[in-house]
Structure formats: C-alpha cells, structure tokens
Amino acid sequence: MNTTRIGHRSFPLIRLFLIMLSLFAVSYPLSARPSGNPLPIPPLLEDNDPSPERESFNLVAQNGAREFFPGSRSATKGYNGSYLGPVLRVWRGHNVTVNIENRLNEKTTVHWHGLEVDGAMDGGPFYPHASGERWTVRFTVDQPAATLWYHPHVHGLIGEQVYRGLSGILIVEDDITENLPLPKDYGINDIPLILQDKRFDSGGNLLYKTSVADLMHGMFGNTMVVNGAVNPYLDVGARKIRFRLINGSNARTFELSLSDGSSFKQIATDGGLLEQPFETRRLVLSPGERAEIIADFSGYKEGSTLSLVTPGLEVLRLHVTGTAKDDTRIPKKMVSIAPIQESSAEKKRTFVLEQMGPNVTINGKRFSMNRIDEKVRFGATEIWEIRNAGMGGMMGPGRNFMSRFRGMIMMRGGMAHPFHIHGIRFQVLERNGQKPSPAEQGWKDTVLLYPGDNVRVIAKFMRKGAFVYHCHILEHDDLGMMGSFVVE
Ligand code: C2O
Ligand code: CU
Ligand code: CU
C-alpha cells in the first residue's frame, strides 16, 4: 500500500502505522479510535410537492470554498452548498420537477446519469445554460430502483466542474425493492459513497490539470475524497451494511476490496438490482459506474477496524462499534431481469475507441456540436458493439503487460476507457466473445473497455431527442471522445 502524500498535515508515519493496523483488522479500544474525518452523509433533498405522486426539488449550482485540510481553503463548486450536492430521491411512476439555477460564472447543465428521459431533459452538451439562468426539468420516472447520479455536461467544462465538486446522487425507488428485506435505513445501514481521487499540493490546496499527462491520461489524484471528506472513517454496527458506490472520479478506475480480504455481496449494478446477489472479494468500478454491495460485519468484534481499499489508496476506514440488531436479509432472488433477445435487434452499430496521445476519437472522429453521428429509430432495439483499439489499432489480443500506475490501468496498446451511453439502460451480451461476468449481468449504462476489448451491448431506445455516448474519463470527454445520436 502506498501512502503518497495524503496531505501534509497528517503525520505520514502515524498514518502509515494506522493503515497497517487497519490492514490487519487489529482490535483496539474505542478511545484509540484513529484520527480522520467522520464520513459525511449527503442529505436527502426536501421534496416541495405535497402530493404523494409527485416530487419537486430545487437545485442551485454555485461556487464555494472548502477546507479539505484545516487551514487551506480551496475553490470548489457544489449544488445547494460548497461541494457535491444533496440526494434526490424519486419514485418509479412519479412525475418529477427540478427547478435549477446556475449561480456559477460560466455555463453549466445538469445531466441525470443513468436516467431514461427525453433528450431535451437529459442535460447533455446540446443544452447549456448560461450563468444566471434558471430552468425547469420535468420527467416521469419509468425504470427500476437504482443508484444514479447527476453532474454537469458542458462540452469542454465537464472535467473541471465535476472535479471542483458538481455531482450528486439520484436514488430511484420502486415497490419491488421497497418490499425486499435489504438494508435500507439511509445513512445507517444504507450508505452512499461518492468515490473521488483528488490532487492536493503540499499546502493542502486542490489542484486541477497541472501537466499534459493530465489531459492525456485524465486527472488522477494522490488523495481519496469520499462524500467530500479526505481521510474518512465510518462507524458501523456489527451487522450488514449496504454501500451504494458511485465512481465520481475524473479518471481513476477503482479495484475495491476489504483490507482483511473478506468477501462481500454485490447486489446491484449501474441500473439497479441484479437478479441474484453474488459473493466476491474485488469490485472493479470505472468512472461513471455504480454498484451496490452488502458487507456483513456481524462477525467482527467491537472495536475492530478495517478499510475499503483500492491499489495505492485507502478509500474508507470502517470502525465496528458493537453488536446491532439486524433484521435484514439478502434474498437469493431479488428481481427479474428479462433478457433482451438478440433476434429482436433491428440494427447493429460499431464504435471504435482510439487514442494517440491527446488525440482521442470514436470511429475516427472527435465530438462536434454541429454533427449528428447516428440516427436511431424511436422504439428500436439495437446492438452496439464497442471496441477499444488502443493506440491506432495496433493492439493485438491478450492482456500481458497489464500495469497500474496510480490507479490508471494501462496495457500494451494503451488505456482502458469507460464507455457510457445516455438515454438508455443496456444489457451486456458479450465481452470478448464470452458471456459477461455476474458483475455485468444486470442493467448497465457504462462499461469499461481494456485495450483490445470488444463488448456487445443491447438496448431498446424509448426516449426521443438528441443524446451522446462518450468515454467517462472526463478529460477524454472534454477532448472530444464523444459522439452524438438522435432518437426519432
Ligand atoms: Cu455521467 Cu455523459 O455522463
Ligand atoms: Cu450519462
Ligand atoms: Cu477515455
């Protein structure tokens, strides 16, 4: 484990010692609780509509300042606050109104990542709103319960706006999930985690894009920020805890595990619950992707600590506070997901991702606001085949030489790119000719492609308007690794 500059004020040796302690899940008395910041839980945003069938919210995108480390204030941006935003909780079948105000000094949008809405409500790059503007977004929720998120999407500004703090969670609820015995006490045994890595200078100031490499590889940080806090810890009861994981990083792919090697259950992907939970010790989450896991702490002694980790970084310290009543269960079968039949697809399209230094393209093109790349018939089912050609298609098969450099997954032939599509949820048909792993058998909207990978996905296009698909490494997105499509 590498503790590269987790902030100058944090006494590196003591921290190293604490991290090693936590790695071995050593118990120690409550009074010796490690230093750090309690994990902030993003507040649920108040619904201003008294009707039980509708939700209405107010969101303000604004400038702010935040002391990630005591004594150094960094310029940030947030929704209804100085960093990140509140949780919008909506119900399937409900009509939702969101009144938005742009109090930034520049253009912005609010994109609902993973939500199926018409193009005009999607907050993509075609609908920027100037500084000072107010607008209203209306949609009807018609998809299964899931952990989605919202963030800006102005072409060229997405990387910096998200990095400075513009992101929030959108939780879709439905009756099926409500009636399952899963942990669902928000903030108690149902914990959202917006995972971000940030770069700080030795004075604790937030830095963005300091070199050409940050453009080419995307912006990688040296410090984890979870729900807006550096060096976070969470007290958990000795029971099952559900974590809603959102990779809100600009570029880093997480390979999450528990520091003591314990397994956990993955219950959901980007677009909601899996049919069946499955047990794993490692979860890969690329920028834009979400997953829900349940870790069971009932076997831990009071005072034990362990951590959620990713290679090179500690993500979240967990501190088990003692036995807690637990009447939750993880059912063997949670929901039904009807596979979309390949034979129902009326069209197949291919998308080739390529990178030559800072020249990032899809099908040889960089994004243009003045061009529509694909036309999709409203209601059509289509198969999209996505291929990561690496550098100029020089990539052969195989994955020898995989290496990790500060969380960047590189291989012979280039970088891994997370591919995201707006306006739909898709199912993964095949990854490199194989049936996808259990982690990719649920609803998805973002999929990671290692160099040489070939992934086939299938979706039904049920929302009209103009949308985009893109690499979710935000600096690649800003450089134009994005294309557009209309559904009509
Ligand atoms: Cu998370 Cu196009 O977005
Ligand atoms: Cu999106
Ligand atoms: Cu990319």
Side-chain angles (χ1 to χ4, degrees), residues 172-305:
V172 175
E173 304 275 16
D174 66 17
D175 294 339
I176 297 171
T177 304
E178 181 67 7
N179 289 320
L180 292 174
L182 296 167
K184 48 173 171 279
D185 287 333
Y186 182 78
I188 297 168
N189 62 7
D190 180 348
I191 309 285
L193 299 176
I194 303 180
L195 307 178
Q196 302 179 306
D197 61 325
K198 305 279 167 198
R199 191 179 307 163
F200 293 94
D201 67 12
S202 58
N205 302 299
L206 186 62
L207 299 174
Y208 183 64
K209 282 209 284 215
T210 54
S211 73
V212 182
D214 298 337
L215 271 180
M216 276 164 42
H217 302 148
M219 184 66 199
F220 284 82
N222 51 18
T223 304
M224 275 308 298
V225 175
V226 183
N227 295 353
V230 296
N231 198 11
Y233 72 85
L234 177 69
D235 287 338
V236 292
R239 57 164 156 183
K240 291 190 278 309
I241 305 283
R242 171 184 189 172
F243 293 102
R244 298 173 187 260
L245 306 164
I246 296 121
N247 187 342
S249 290
N250 281 47
R252 182 180 295 264
T253 292
F254 295 104
E255 296 169 79
L256 299 165
S257 59
L258 289 167
S259 54
D260 65 352
S262 296
S263 63
F264 46 85
K265 293 219 164 91
Q266 182 170 348
I267 60 164
T269 52
D270 298 337
L273 292 175
L274 291 159
E275 286 203 313
Q276 290 141 5
F278 71 96
E279 193 162 341
T280 183
R281 292 176 199 281
R282 178 174 171 271
L283 174 81
V284 177
L285 206 65
S286 68
E289 285 187 299
R290 286 90 58 218
E292 293 179 36
I293 59 171
I294 293 179
D296 190 350
F297 300 107
S298 61
Y300 288 79
K301 280 208 292 288
E302 176 170 349
S304 327
T305 61

Side-chain angles (χ1 to χ4, degrees), residues 216-217 353-355 360 388 415-419 470-477 481:
M216 276 164 42
H217 302 148
L353 315 179
E354 257 177 292
Q355 174 171 24
V360 280
N388 181 351
M415 285 183 73
H417 301 281
F419 187 82
H470 58 91
C471 173
H472 219 289
I473 291 177
L474 300 180
E475 288 68 31
H476 289 177
D477 188 346
M481 199 172 205

Side-chain angles (χ1 to χ4, degrees), residues 111-115 122 124 149 151 153 158 288 290 420-424 445-446 468-470 472:
H111 166 57
W112 318 100
H113 181 133
L115 191 69
D122 174 64
W149 62 305
H151 62 74
H153 220 302
I158 182 170
R290 286 90 58 218
H420 168 53
I421 311 174
H422 286 215
I424 54 162
D445 54 58
T446 306
V468 289
Y469 47 85
H470 58 91
H472 219 289

Side-chain angles (χ1 to χ4, degrees), residues 318-373:
L318 297 160
H319 183 260
V320 183
T321 56
T323 49
K325 178 167 167 292
D326 191 355
D327 46 20
T328 68
R329 253 184 336 104
I330 311 174
K332 287 213 163 40
K333 166 124 199 235
M334 297 183 292
V335 293
S336 300
I337 300 176
I340 308 176
Q341 296 305 321
E342 276 200 61
S343 56
S344 67
E346 66 179 57
K347 193 160 172 74
K348 192 186 130 187
R349 298 175 204 263
T350 307
F351 299 88
V352 179
L353 315 179
E354 257 177 292
Q355 174 171 24
M356 288 294 260
N359 191 33
V360 280
T361 57
I362 300 178
N363 290 343
K365 294 173 285 187
R366 289 167 81 151
F367 178 72
S368 164
M369 293 279 267
N370 308 314
R371 187 186 69 225
I372 291 293
D373 296 301

